[in-house]
Amino acid sequence: MGIKQLYQVIKDECPDAYKEGEIKNQFGRKVAIDASMSIYSFLIAVRSGGEMLTNEDGETTSHLMGMFYRTLRIVDNGIKPLYVFDGAPPKLKSGELAKRFQRKATATEGLEEAKETGTAEDIEKFSRRTVRVTREHNAECQRLLKLMGIPYLIAPTEAEAQCAVLARAGKVYAAASEDMDTLCFDSPVLLRHLTFSEQRKEPIQEIFLEKVLAGLDMDRKQFVDLCILLGCDYLDPIPKVGPHTALKLIREYKTLENFVEAVQNDPKSKYTIPEDWPFADARELFLNPDVRPADAPECEFKWEAPDIDGLIQFLVTDKGFSEDRVRAGAARLQKNLKTSQQARLEGFFKPIPKTEAEIKNLKRKNDEKNEEKKKRLKEEKKEKAKAKSKPRGGG
DNA sequence: CTCAGCCA
DNA sequence: TGGCTGAGG
């Protein structure tokens, strides 16, 4: 889910706050990945004939397939992934969870109905909506990662928030997520489309929080308020408030307190605050999430050699994977561990010293690029507006 | 989802 | 090489 429309706002308001590029540019970087979110998407996407993959005993293997091959691909690109699992859900989120549960219940009813009367596509559609990540999925993926030599940690509550802490502390370069929420948790850098960029033609987006804040001319608190207005996972959206209005409202009222008060004091206001709208709680969740500090012993992690025999036992013997493929995968892990050691020895990760003149030159080039980007976006916008504008409005 | 194999 | 398709478990 995430913050609806936030990317659009950033694109419009602060074009220098993000970069788009290839996965190769991420070589040598450590990134924190929300494991539970990934598992969810594997359960939905890794299917054959609409059904999840299973071993002979009927145990689901989609999550292991996805986790195994995606991690290999990331590692092949010289990226060092650290997976972060969700802990307990935060209290406020239980409201949202209840809603999801309800959706799941209705989807299950729908599934029964679809099985009676519907087409194969209907059945498939409903079956995808009922997906839930279980304790077992998480535990099995943790076992897999351990065998692959890939580090992971379990967050006290939300993985996204923990990823952000690690990025903020410099333990990883960025939090990798599709979810724009990560910026609200104060991750300095957010990587989007890290994985599906190669297969599809989409570029990797690299979003820089500092530049977002500068571009919007907001402090973090205002930014979080903006995101809540745009619509977050925790709260119902306010009708009639889209990206444009949300921005305008925060600029005008500065805080959600002021805005809500203004609406409630104005019987003719065109906005309606939902019945149960604990925005201060939601804000608190973003500003002070329950996380492990980055220097806690639980946040220690390192990349190790894969346990090949263990992988064969787990994936081949227990889960029915092809031995050749698993061995080939393990070899890729070993090979990349070596190349990254080599790169370190050769000083790849050391910052390259720059003279004053070089720095100045880089800055100038950067500014030029940003100007170009701004211009280009402006023109795109103009053309869009032209295409939209009606022949005559009257007046 | 990713991989492997095939074909332009 | 790169896009497409079917298999993977």
Side-chain angles (χ1 to χ4, degrees):
Chain A
M1 241 144 279
I3 314 289
K4 292 165 208 153
Q5 312 269 24
L6 178 55
Y7 188 67
Q8 193 54 47
V9 171
I10 290 173
K11 235 179 128 173
D12 291 347
E13 301 297 320
C14 13
D16 66 335
Y18 70 97
K19 279 198 288 204
E20 298 191 330
E22 302 173 66
I23 192 163
K24 311 277 175 227
N25 302 343
Q26 305 300 326
F27 185 94
R29 287 178 174 166
K30 303 172 185 177
V31 300
I33 303 173
D34 179 342
S36 306
M37 198 79 251
S38 310
I39 295 170
Y40 178 78
S41 67
F42 296 144
L43 291 175
I44 288 172
V46 184
R47 281 161 184 253
S48 178
E51 300 279 310
M52 289 187 211
L53 301 183
T54 63
N55 68 359
E56 282 182 333
D57 300 340
E59 298 166 337
T60 299
T61 52
S62 293
H63 55 308
L64 297 171
M65 270 253 127
M67 180 72 71
F68 186 61
Y69 287 117
R70 174 172 294 181
T71 305
L72 283 174
R73 172 179 272 217
I74 289 171
V75 168
D76 269 346
N77 280 287
I79 298 167
K80 299 183 147 210
L82 160 72
Y83 284 95
V84 181
F85 288 80
D86 278 331
K91 283 194 189 93
L92 181 74
K93 217 171 177 180
S94 57
E96 172 68 18
L97 284 179
K99 254 196 291 174
R100 284 185 200 166
F101 256 62
Q102 215 163 22
R103 240 175 280 155
K104 183 189 170 255
T106 50
T108 312
E109 281 165 32
L111 179 61
E112 296 307 316
E113 209 180 296
K115 271 184 179 159
E116 300 278 323
T117 61
T119 62
E121 290 90 72
D122 285 338
I123 295 172
E124 199 178 317
K125 210 165 64 189
F126 281 115
S127 125
R128 276 176 216 256
R129 273 191 218 159
T130 59
V131 162
R132 241 165 37 102
V133 179
T134 66
R135 203 179 300 280
E136 287 71 34
H137 293 139
N138 280 309
E140 285 187 334
C141 284
Q142 285 164 18
R143 181 172 170 200
L144 174 64
L145 291 170
K146 184 101 186 65
L147 293 171
M148 293 176 80
I150 304 295
Y152 66 84
L153 54 96
I154 300 165
T157 58
E158 291 208 279
E160 303 256 14
Q162 190 65 50
C163 290
V165 165
L166 296 167
R168 176 54 67 187
K171 288 202 133 192
V172 295
Y173 169 73
S177 175
E178 302 317 308
D179 224 328
M180 298 293 290
D181 286 34
T182 309
L183 288 175
C184 294
F185 289 120
D186 204 28
S187 182
V189 184
L190 166 63
L191 290 183
R192 292 177 87 209
H193 306 169
L194 178 66
T195 45
F196 58 69
S197 65
E198 242 179 337
Q199 220 72 347
R200 313 190 208 165
K201 282 259 179 189
E202 301 214 41
I204 290 185
Q205 294 167 356
E206 215 172 325
I207 305 168
F208 305 96
L209 178 59
E210 255 64 27
K211 292 197 172 185
V212 170
L213 296 179
L216 294 173
D217 191 24
M218 286 183 186
D219 58 27
R220 184 152 104 84
K221 207 176 145 200
Q222 286 179 318
F223 175 69
V224 168
D225 278 5
L226 170 71
C227 290
I228 292 173
L229 268 188
L230 288 169
C232 69
D233 280 1
Y234 305 127
L235 297 177
D236 291 320
I238 298 180
K240 293 182 193 156
V241 176
H244 195 82
T245 311
L247 206 55
K248 198 190 76 182
L249 291 174
I250 295 295
R251 293 246 155 90
E252 186 178 343
Y253 293 100
K254 308 296 181 206
T255 69
L256 285 177
E257 277 84 355
N258 293 344
F259 167 61
V260 169
E261 199 188 316
V263 170
Q264 283 167 350
N265 290 339
D266 175 8
K268 281 182 285 182
S269 171
K270 59 176 170 174
Y271 303 111
T272 319
I273 310 293
E275 192 86 357
D276 175 35
W277 211 67
F279 66 88
D281 293 349
R283 179 201 286 149
E284 189 60 17
L285 231 39
F286 283 127
L287 293 178
N288 294 104
D290 183 7
V291 288
R292 205 85 68 196
D295 56 8
E298 291 90 341
C299 292
E300 293 295 307
F301 53 89
K302 61 172 187 257
W303 289 266
E304 289 171 323
D307 173 354
I308 298 178
D309 293 340
L311 281 170
I312 300 280
Q313 172 64 40
F314 183 39
L315 292 182
V316 179
T317 312
D318 296 355
K319 299 297 176 184
F321 281 49
S322 135
E323 178 164 349
D324 285 354
R325 284 190 172 203
V326 172
R327 280 196 190 278
R332 278 160 78 186
L333 286 170
Q334 275 180 319
K335 178 174 159 263
N336 284 302
L337 201 69
K338 258 188 223 156
T339 55
S340 94
Q341 266 165 5
Q342 193 58 33
R344 217 192 342 266
L345 284 175
E346 286 168 12
F348 182 90
F349 299 112
K350 270 186 236 151
I352 301 150
K354 299 249 168 31
T355 66
E356 284 289 309
E358 277 176 322
I359 292 168
K360 232 176 158 180
N361 200 29
L362 276 176
K363 270 190 185 153
R364 189 179 50 77
K365 273 190 185 164
N366 191 36
D367 288 347
E368 277 172 16
K369 253 197 221 160
N370 285 336
E371 279 309 307
E372 266 174 45
K373 205 164 172 182
K374 263 188 191 164
K375 255 188 219 163
R376 211 186 55 230
L377 281 166
K378 238 186 195 168
E379 266 162 41
E380 272 175 26
K381 230 181 162 181
K382 240 191 235 166
E383 273 177 38
K384 240 195 199 167
K386 230 192 249 170
K388 256 198 217 162
S389 71
K390 286 155 200 163
R392 272 261 29 158

